[in-house]
Amino acid sequence: MTAPEEDRMADAEQVVNVGIIGTGGMGRRHAHNLHRKVKGVEVAGVSDVDEVRMAQVATECSGACTFKDPYELISDERIDAVLIVSPDDTHADFVLACLEQRKPVLCEKPLATSSKEAQRIIDAETAIGRRLVAVGFMRRFDPCHVAVKEALELGALGRPVLFRGVHRNAGAQPGLPRHLIVGGSAIHDIDSARWLLQQEVVEVFGRGLRVDPALDEDFYDLLLIQLLLSGDCLGTIEVFVSARYGYEVMAEIVGSGGTATTTQPAPAMLRRLQQRSTSVHGDWLERFQEAYVLELEQWIQSLRGGRFQGASAWDGYISLLVARACVTSLESGRPETVQAPPPPQLYREEL
Ligand code: ISE
C-alpha cells in the first residue's frame, strides 16, 4: 500500500474495497453480508486454500478477484481493508501482515491461538501508534446484549454483583482439539463478561466433563467456569457444546437493584395442541446474523473516520490470557490467577 489508509478512506463516498481470507461457512456469510447488506463496500478479493469454494464465493460477490496466496491479497493495492476468517492458527500471521501494510483488519475471534502471538500483534500495533486491528466478538453488536449493557450503564441494576453466561451449541465433532471449547466457545463469554461489566477477570476456576461418548475421551464438551472480576463481581460461564436441541446464548447481569438478561429472539410463538412453543436457532450464523451485519457496518463506517466500537486487539489479547488461565485451571483442578498487564496508552479508553 503506497498511500496511508487515512488518505484512502478520507472520502465518505468512497467505496471501501475489502479482501476476505477464508470462504468457509463464516467467511461466506461475511462475504454475503458485505456484498448484500452493507453500503459503500465492495468484496474486492477473496482467498482460500479451497479453490472451488473461493471461486464460488467470488462469483456470488459479483466477480471478486481470487488470490491463491493470502499474502498477495493483503499486499494488493486494490485492497483497502482485510477480513480474516481463516482457521484460527493462521490469524496472528495474517493480522501481522496487514499491520506491515498498514491496512485495517477485522479478524474473527480468536485473535491468535496463544497470548504470546497476540502480544506480537499488540507490540506491532502500538509501534504504529494507531488502532488498525478489530476483533470479531460480534455479541457486542447484538441488540439483546446491548440492551443489557445499557440497563447496567443507566444505573437500572444498581451495583453489578454477578455475570452469568450460558452458551450452548447443538453438537461437536469428534477429533477436535481438546481445549477448543475454551478458545473457540468460552472465549466469547469471557469477552461478554469483560465488556458488559467493564471489569477485568482476575481469577478463574474451571471444571469440565465429557458428556457425549462419541467425542474423544479427553475432550470436555461441558464446561463450568467461575470468575472473580476486578470490581468485586463474581461470574459463572456454562458452556455445553453437545446440547442437541439447538444453539442458545444467554448473558445476565445481576445487580444490587435489579437483573437484566438477554432474551432469546424468536420469530413467532406457536400455540397448538395445548402447547406453546417458539423455535430455537440452529447455530450462531442464524442467532447472530443481525449482529454480524451491524458489526460489519460499524467497522466499515470506522474506516472512514471515528473509532470501531467493537473489540480491539487488546480485548483479543486479554481474552486469550483469561482463556489460558481457564485451561490451566481445568488441568490443575485449582483456581488460577489471571496476570494481565495494564493496557498501553493506545488502548486506554474502554474495554
Ligand atoms: C463458534 O466458533 C463461534 O464463534 C460461535 O459464536 C460460538 O457460539 C460457538 O460456540 C463456536 O464454536
Side-chain angles (χ1 to χ4, degrees):
M1 189 176 196
T2 47
E5 74 281 358
E6 299 107 310
D7 296 346
R8 280 189 184 225
M9 305 295 171
D11 183 353
E13 299 306 311
Q14 194 178 333
V15 167
V16 179
N17 292 302
V18 173
I20 302 179
I21 304 176
T23 55
M26 188 72 247
R28 186 162 181 242
R29 174 61 65 98
H30 278 316
H32 288 178
N33 283 342
L34 277 176
H35 182 60
R36 298 172 187 166
K37 312 237 176 232
V38 182
K39 290 205 177 80
V41 64
E42 205 155 283
V43 178
V46 288
S47 179
D48 201 309
V49 282
D50 183 330
E51 292 181 29
V52 175
R53 72 181 184 193
M54 168 171 75
Q56 190 189 334
V57 171
T59 310
E60 289 163 356
C61 295
S62 299
C65 299
T66 54
F67 294 84
K68 282 189 200 164
D69 180 350
Y71 291 99
E72 273 179 25
L73 176 147
I74 292 170
S75 56
D76 194 286
E77 267 301 300
R78 293 165 294 180
I79 302 293
D80 299 317
V82 180
L83 180 47
I84 298 175
V85 209
S86 49
D88 295 355
D89 59 357
T90 63
H91 288 184
D93 285 345
F94 291 154
V95 171
L96 286 166
C98 292
L99 288 177
E100 260 171 44
Q101 298 289 325
R102 304 289 192 270
K103 287 195 185 177
V105 51
L106 171 56
C107 180
E108 259 305 323
K109 65 87 224 183
L111 176 60
T113 45
S114 72
S115 53
K116 235 187 212 155
E117 281 180 340
Q119 176 73 60
R120 284 172 56 214
I121 294 171
I122 297 296
D123 292 346
E125 197 175 35
T126 42
I128 293 168
R130 260 178 313 119
R131 288 205 202 172
L132 291 169
V133 181
V135 180
F137 282 122
M138 77 300 186
R139 292 184 190 178
R140 293 181 179 221
F141 293 89
D142 171 53
C144 298
H145 283 73
V146 170
V148 168
K149 188 167 168 64
E150 278 171 4
L152 180 61
E153 285 172 355
L154 285 171
L157 312 182
R159 184 176 82 79
V161 291
L162 176 70
F163 164 84
R164 227 158 55 81
V166 176
H167 185 165
R168 304 215 172 113
N169 286 20
Q173 304 292 328
L176 289 173
R178 175 161 190 223
H179 293 301
L180 193 68
I181 186 166
V182 179
S185 296
I187 199 159
H188 277 291
D189 309 281
I190 292 168
D191 184 66
S192 292
R194 294 183 63 244
W195 169 69
L196 286 169
L197 292 166
Q198 297 288 293
Q199 295 179 21
E200 289 299 357
V201 177
V202 294
E203 190 186 87
V204 299
F205 183 27
R207 289 270 184 206
L209 266 190
R210 184 192 58 155
V211 178
D212 180 350
L215 297 174
D216 297 358
E217 225 165 275
D218 67 348
F219 185 90
Y220 294 141
D221 48 352
L222 176 64
L223 208 65
L224 204 53
I225 304 169
Q226 288 179 26
L227 309 173
L228 175 65
L229 290 116
S230 52
D232 263 346
C233 205
L234 299 178
T236 61
I237 294 175
E238 173 211 308
V239 187
F240 185 30
V241 295
S242 305
R244 300 285 160 244
Y245 69 87
Y247 179 81
E248 256 180 339
V249 163
M250 186 279 285
E252 182 171 81
I253 301 293
V254 177
S256 56
T259 296
T261 314
T262 56
T263 50
Q264 304 299 336
M269 163 90 73
L270 196 64
R271 293 179 176 83
R272 64 193 289 269
L273 304 173
Q274 289 87 49
Q275 299 221 324
R276 242 187 352 221
S277 64
T278 55
S279 57
V280 176
H281 294 110
D283 64 16
W284 51 93
L285 295 182
E286 280 178 29
R287 165 64 182 86
F288 288 109
Q289 164 62 6
E290 190 179 358
Y292 288 126
V293 174
L294 291 168
E295 177 182 62
L296 287 174
E297 276 175 352
Q298 210 275 312
W299 179 55
I300 295 297
Q301 197 184 321
S302 74
L303 303 184
R304 298 203 170 91
R307 162 111 351 136
F308 179 60
Q309 284 155 19
S312 65
W314 185 255
D315 298 310
Y317 166 63
I318 296 291
S319 64
L320 282 161
L321 276 184
V322 178
R324 178 68 245 168
C326 291
V327 169
T328 306
S329 170
L330 285 169
E331 279 168 356
S332 70
R334 287 192 297 273
E336 181 71 17
T337 305
V338 182
Q339 310 278 2
Q345 186 60 40
L346 183 63
Y347 306 104
R348 245 181 245 162
E349 263 164 50
E350 42 181 60
L351 292 171

